[in-house]
Amino acid sequence: MDLISTLLKNMTSEDSLSALKGVTGGSDKQVESAVNSAVPTLLKSMTKNASTEDGARSLLGALGQHTNTDPLSSQIKNRSEE
């Protein structure tokens, strides 16, 4: 399974969509559509950024700040409560 498919599977699970709906107030269809559009766009931008040494270093640093291994739905809910 490729990275985009893996991310989309996690982000469009029932729990993740429910958490995103709770944060955004959107419908199932709206939230799923937004996720399906955003993930490939974000990965394309990250890939472009990582194509230079400075960009790759910056991206690695940013990704290193995100080490939470809780389920995505929990992370979404916890983030919205901050």
Side-chain angles (χ1 to χ4, degrees):
M1 188 176 284
D2 63 66
L3 182 57
I4 291 176
S5 297
T6 301
L7 288 171
L8 287 174
K9 182 179 177 186
N10 278 320
M11 294 189 77
T12 58
S13 72
E14 187 175 326
D15 288 343
S16 294
L17 288 176
S18 177
L20 286 167
K21 275 183 18 178
V23 172
T24 64
S27 69
D28 285 338
K29 203 172 245 186
Q30 289 171 322
V31 171
E32 189 167 5
S33 177
V35 168
N36 283 323
S37 296
V39 169
T41 301
L42 288 170
L43 286 177
K44 184 177 178 181
S45 295
M46 291 167 63
T47 300
K48 183 179 177 185
N49 188 35
S51 68
T52 66
E53 190 173 326
D54 286 342
R57 190 175 9 263
S58 176
L59 181 58
L60 183 59
L63 292 173
Q65 295 174 18
H66 302 278
T67 58
N68 191 333
T69 58
D70 292 341
L72 182 58
S73 58
S74 295
Q75 292 183 51
I76 294 166
K77 288 175 189 173
N78 292 339
R79 187 77 168 152
S80 69
E81 294 169 357
E82 292 180 355

